[in-house]
Amino acid sequence: GAVVSQHPSRVICKSGTSVKIECRSLDFQATTMFWYRQFPKQSLMLMATSNEGSKATYEQGVEKDKFLINHASLTLSTLTVTSAHPEDSSFYICSASTTGSGTEAFFGQGTRLTVV
Amino acid sequence: GQNIDQPTEMTATEGAIVQINCTYQTSGFNGLFWYQQHAGEAPTFLSYNVLDGLEEKGRFSSFLSRSKGYSYLLLKELQMKDSASYLCAVRGGFKTIFGAGTRLFVKA
């Protein structure tokens, strides 16, 4: 299957600072990337959908000014958690897919964010 | 809107067969996925169904009935390493929504 690389895998930051998470598709062009958040023992919650070269579409209840998403190329999307607070501590996972229906989503390794 | 239901936990014995059910409601159905997720790791793809029927892949099989909004994942010859969460995910349009997952415990 295709490879999606997510970096960093773990990050600890101080409250009030910003953290950037990168999601790269290594061997295919990802026209669409998805960002999920997962709290312990809960399912993946879709935060936003980003398409290359256009603004991300955020799910209801997700603050677009707090979770900045950039999808500048077909192989890279970034999620920046701005002014992080302890309640933002979570497992963030990206997935990438190509155009067309029926394509599976390939997941990055996930990023464990801890805000202290 | 979209809604996905699957059991919270299941326990099965090594070597046995287990069936994990998933019921869903969605508009613009565009496929159903099953993923395996070990604690602290990202999900890994297991299967994809878009037409009714059974898809078999080694020890894993997945079934879909679109008219009933129902799917199941069948795991045969269970191994200890199969202990994990199994996520049912439904694509409506170009958006994939995940169920809460079923935690499977395989005991010796």
Side-chain angles (χ1 to χ4, degrees):
Chain A
V3 178
V4 176
S5 176
Q6 188 173 338
H7 177 81
S9 58
R10 290 178 180 272
V11 59
I12 300 173
C13 70
K14 291 184 177 180
S15 186
T17 62
S18 296
V19 174
K20 179 184 284 188
I21 303 170
E22 293 187 348
C23 181
R24 293 181 184 272
S25 56
L26 298 186
D27 52 2
F28 69 102
Q29 293 184 328
T31 51
T32 305
M33 287 187 173
F34 303 90
W35 287 95
Y36 295 87
R37 180 167 54 184
Q38 186 176 36
F39 292 105
K41 298 186 179 181
Q42 295 186 24
S43 187
L44 282 74
M45 299 301 296
L46 180 65
M47 298 176 65
T49 302
S50 73
N51 294 293
E52 184 267 337
S54 62
K55 291 183 179 180
T57 302
Y58 290 80
E59 294 301 300
Q60 192 172 8
V62 179
E63 300 175 56
K64 62 180 181 181
D65 293 330
K66 181 172 181 61
F67 299 99
L68 301 179
I69 292 173
N70 184 279
H71 192 161
S73 75
L74 285 171
T75 59
L76 174 65
S77 177
T78 61
L79 167 67
T80 301
V81 183
T82 62
S83 186
H85 292 284
E87 56 264 33
D88 298 325
S89 299
S90 187
F91 192 47
Y92 292 85
I93 308 174
C94 72
S95 72
S97 66
T98 56
T99 53
S101 62
T103 56
E104 67 178 273
F106 302 98
F107 284 88
Q109 303 94 318
T111 297
R112 174 74 59 192
L113 170 64
T114 303
V115 184
V116 298
Chain B
Q2 292 175 293
N3 188 50
I4 300 173
D5 288 311
Q6 52 182 129
T8 304
E9 291 185 358
M10 298 183 72
T11 300
T13 305
E14 190 176 18
I17 299 173
V18 70
Q19 177 174 313
I20 303 174
N21 296 323
C22 171
T23 57
Y24 66 89
Q25 293 176 314
T26 189
S27 57
F29 177 80
N30 201 14
L32 185 144
F33 301 82
W34 283 96
Y35 288 87
Q36 180 191 63
Q37 185 179 28
H38 286 98
E41 299 179 8
T44 55
F45 172 79
L46 292 178
S47 68
Y48 168 73
N49 295 71
V50 67
L51 299 176
D52 292 348
L54 186 69
E55 295 282 341
E56 297 187 77
K57 186 185 295 184
R59 293 191 300 116
F60 296 79
S61 302
S62 58
F63 171 84
L64 174 67
S65 169
R66 290 171 296 171
S67 62
K68 296 181 179 178
Y70 168 70
S71 173
Y72 67 73
L73 179 69
L74 194 70
L75 291 79
K76 304 176 184 177
E77 302 171 13
L78 279 175
Q79 302 175 8
M80 298 299 288
K81 67 178 182 180
D82 296 330
S83 293
S85 288
Y86 291 85
L87 309 178
C88 174
V90 175
R91 174 173 287 159
F94 288 102
K95 183 187 297 185
T96 301
I97 302 299
F98 285 77
T102 299
R103 297 185 69 194
L104 175 65
F105 299 94
V106 180
K107 58 182 182 179

